[in-house]
Amino acid sequence: DEIYDPETEEFLGYNIRVVGTGKVLRIGNLENNVPATLYVDGTKQEIRSGSFILPVNEGQLLPSFFTMQAATTSKQAAIVKTSSGVREFGKLEVVMINIGAIDAINQGDVLSVERKSPGVVETGNGPVYTSDASRWNRLANSQNSDYKMPSETVGKLMVFKVHEKVSMALVLHSNKPLRLKDIITAP
C-alpha cells in the first residue's frame, strides 16, 4: 500500500506485508537476464507478479530494550497507518507516524497523542457541542466553534523503528480510543 502524508499529500513510502517466505535455490544475474530460482516454503496469502522479495532479517533486527526519552522534535505529526488496518485502536497497537530521521526522531523517543476537543457553539439555550447543535446553528457558525478549543492528551507512544520520513511506534497507553490522523507532538 502506498502511504501519503495526510497534511501535505507527500508520498512517504510503501507499507509492505509479508505474504510468504522462501529459500534461494539458484542466484540469478540481472546483467545477463538470468532469473533466480526461489523455493517458496510458506505462504500467508497469494504471491503475485510484482511482489517484492527481500531478505527475511533485513531491517528486522531491533534492540531487545530501548532507552526511553522524551522526544525533542518541534514538528507536529500524525498517525498515518496501523499494523492491524483498523481506524480506532488502543494500547499495544503498532502505528506508523509521518515523522522520521530527517525530523530528529530516534529509537526510544516518547511522544504524546493529542486530539482537539470538540467544537462548541452558542445557541439560544446556551453552549452546545457542534455535533449536537441544530443545522441552523452549525450553518451560522462557519468556524465550527465559537470557542478556541484546546487539545487534550489522549495517549503516549514510543518510537521503535525510524526511517527517513516515517517511524514505527508502539502505543504505550491511551485514555480514549486513538484514531488515524490524531496529532503527535513532543510531550
Side-chain angles (χ1 to χ4, degrees):
D1 299 335
E2 294 178 341
I3 306 294
Y4 292 94
D5 189 307
E7 296 288 322
T8 65
E9 298 295 322
E10 176 187 7
F11 175 72
L12 299 174
Y14 293 97
N15 183 39
I16 298 176
R17 292 179 302 278
V18 175
V19 295
T21 57
K23 297 175 185 163
V24 174
L25 298 179
R26 186 181 68 210
I27 296 174
N29 185 333
L30 190 60
E31 294 173 2
N32 296 329
N33 293 330
V34 177
T37 302
L38 181 73
Y39 173 75
V40 177
D41 60 3
T43 61
K44 293 182 177 181
Q45 65 186 60
E46 181 180 359
I47 299 172
R48 298 179 178 182
S49 176
S51 293
F52 293 97
I53 298 175
L54 301 169
V56 172
N57 290 329
E58 184 176 292
Q60 299 300 316
L61 300 176
L62 297 169
S64 57
F65 67 92
F66 295 91
T67 303
M68 294 172 58
Q69 67 270 348
T72 58
T73 185
S74 60
K75 185 174 180 185
Q76 201 174 49
I79 298 173
V80 295
K81 190 105 174 133
T82 63
S83 62
S84 61
V86 296
R87 289 183 179 190
E88 289 192 336
F89 44 91
K91 184 177 179 179
L92 300 180
E93 178 72 40
V94 174
V95 298
M96 183 180 293
I97 58 176
N98 62 345
I99 53 176
I102 60 174
D103 303 304
I105 292 294
N106 299 304
Q107 284 183 345
D109 280 358
V110 176
L111 298 155
S112 292
V113 182
E114 295 184 355
R115 185 176 303 142
K116 191 169 183 174
S117 298
V120 174
V121 294
E122 280 293 334
T123 66
N125 298 327
V128 176
Y129 285 118
T130 304
S131 60
D132 297 334
S134 69
R135 186 182 309 189
W136 168 253
N137 285 322
R138 286 194 305 260
L139 288 172
N141 188 331
S142 62
Q143 285 133 358
N144 213 17
S145 181
D146 287 333
Y147 301 95
K148 292 183 180 178
M149 301 303 289
S151 292
E152 60 179 316
T153 300
V154 292
K156 297 263 188 228
L157 50 84
M158 183 196 70
V159 174
F160 66 87
K161 189 168 186 177
V162 180
H163 299 284
E164 184 180 349
K165 296 180 182 178
V166 296
S167 299
M168 301 298 289
L170 178 70
V171 176
L172 300 175
H173 74 84
S174 62
N175 302 333
K176 296 179 179 181
L178 304 182
R179 299 180 190 135
L180 293 176
K181 298 185 181 179
D182 274 348
I183 301 165
I184 307 297
T185 62

